[in-house]
């Protein structure tokens, strides 16, 4: 079993405010330590469950919160590349490490222009985790918040992805498409369970 642990400070145990998660914030140092502890707890759990390869990476903001000695000794720390923001805090990420497969994670992004820019630098990728489900909110003029099925198929094509994981395709009332829509868009042959 191989496991990927993506650590982000928002939501980490005990972190409740901006001073905990922003560089230069009053409690940012403590926040970094808390994130590392939560990440390593996930690594220990994965090891106990039989994982033989674990990739960890920092997915918070500018991705500079994990210190070199933070990751568990049995985990491999990958690097994260952020694409340009589509809107405040909406970005796309690529994860890889020496000798590891490349993983593209779309994040909250519905822009194929952004995918095209990332693909020009890093394609092909081994696995693309694509946030799909076509959620829309009336407060945002019903604009797509993440990819729809057709967008996910186009993103996979642009990235040259050998495998695709569709994330965010169920569970929320504002999703307008399901995993079946992603499959129907032409990804059934490469689609893996989330």
């Amino acid at each position: 079993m191989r496991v990927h642990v993506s650590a982000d400070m928002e939501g980490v145990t005990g972190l409740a405010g901006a001073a905990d998660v922003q560089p230069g914030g009053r409690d940012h140092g403590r926040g970094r330590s808390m994130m590392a502890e939560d990440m390593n707890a996930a690594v220990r759990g994965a090891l106990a469950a039989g994982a033989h390869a674990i990739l960890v990476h920092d997915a918070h903001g500018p991705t500079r919160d994990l210190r070199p000695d933070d990751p568990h000794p049995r985990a491999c720390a990958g690097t994260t590349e952020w694409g340009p923001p589509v809107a405040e805090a909406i970005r796309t990420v690529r994860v890889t490490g020496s000798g590891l497969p490349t993983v593209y994670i779309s994040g909250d992004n519905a822009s194929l222009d952004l995918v095209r820019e990332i693909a020009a630098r890093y394609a092909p990728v081994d696995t693309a985790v694509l946030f799909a489900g076509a959620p829309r909110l009336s407060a945002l003029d019903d604009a797509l918040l993440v990819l729809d099925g057709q967008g996910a198929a186009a993103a996979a094509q642009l990235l040259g992805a050998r495998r695709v994981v569709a994330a965010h395709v169920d569970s929320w009332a504002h999703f307008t498409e399901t995993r079946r829509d992603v499959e129907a868009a032409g990804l059934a042959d490469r689609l893996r369970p989330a």
Side-chain angles (χ1 to χ4, degrees):
M1 175 173 47
R2 294 183 295 176
V3 175
H4 171 205
V5 179
S6 176
D8 194 347
M9 288 181 115
E10 288 88 0
V12 163
T13 303
L15 304 186
D20 297 328
V21 300
Q22 293 177 354
R26 179 183 69 246
D27 294 326
H28 183 244
R30 182 180 73 85
R32 293 173 81 182
S33 296
M34 296 296 289
M35 183 173 82
E37 269 307 307
D38 274 13
M39 179 192 66
N40 287 329
V43 170
R44 290 189 297 272
L47 289 169
H52 70 275
I54 302 171
L55 169 68
V56 299
H57 86 280
D58 179 353
H60 176 73
T63 68
R64 294 187 184 97
D65 293 302
L66 286 179
R67 296 160 292 222
D69 292 337
D70 281 343
H72 188 282
R74 297 264 317 268
C76 176
T79 60
T80 304
E81 298 280 342
W82 289 95
V86 175
E88 186 175 342
I90 298 177
R91 300 171 188 244
T92 303
V93 66
R94 175 188 73 102
V95 180
T96 190
S98 179
L100 296 173
T102 300
V103 178
Y104 169 91
I105 305 169
S106 71
D108 291 340
N109 170 46
S111 169
L112 289 176
D113 288 339
L114 177 59
V115 175
R116 193 172 287 107
E117 184 176 328
I118 297 292
R121 290 186 286 165
Y122 301 115
V125 300
D126 297 292
T127 301
V129 179
L130 302 174
F131 289 25
R136 299 175 187 272
L137 294 175
S138 59
L140 298 174
D141 298 324
D142 288 325
L144 277 176
L145 302 178
V146 302
L147 299 165
D148 59 9
Q150 293 295 321
Q157 182 70 29
L158 288 167
L159 294 161
R162 291 189 291 218
R163 285 176 297 281
V164 175
V165 176
H168 289 288
V169 291
D170 55 24
S171 306
W172 292 89
H174 61 286
F175 290 156
T176 62
E177 292 186 0
T178 67
R179 180 182 174 86
R180 291 183 201 268
D181 293 295
V182 177
E183 290 173 353
L187 289 177
D189 63 325
R190 289 181 274 173
L191 203 59
R192 301 295 184 263

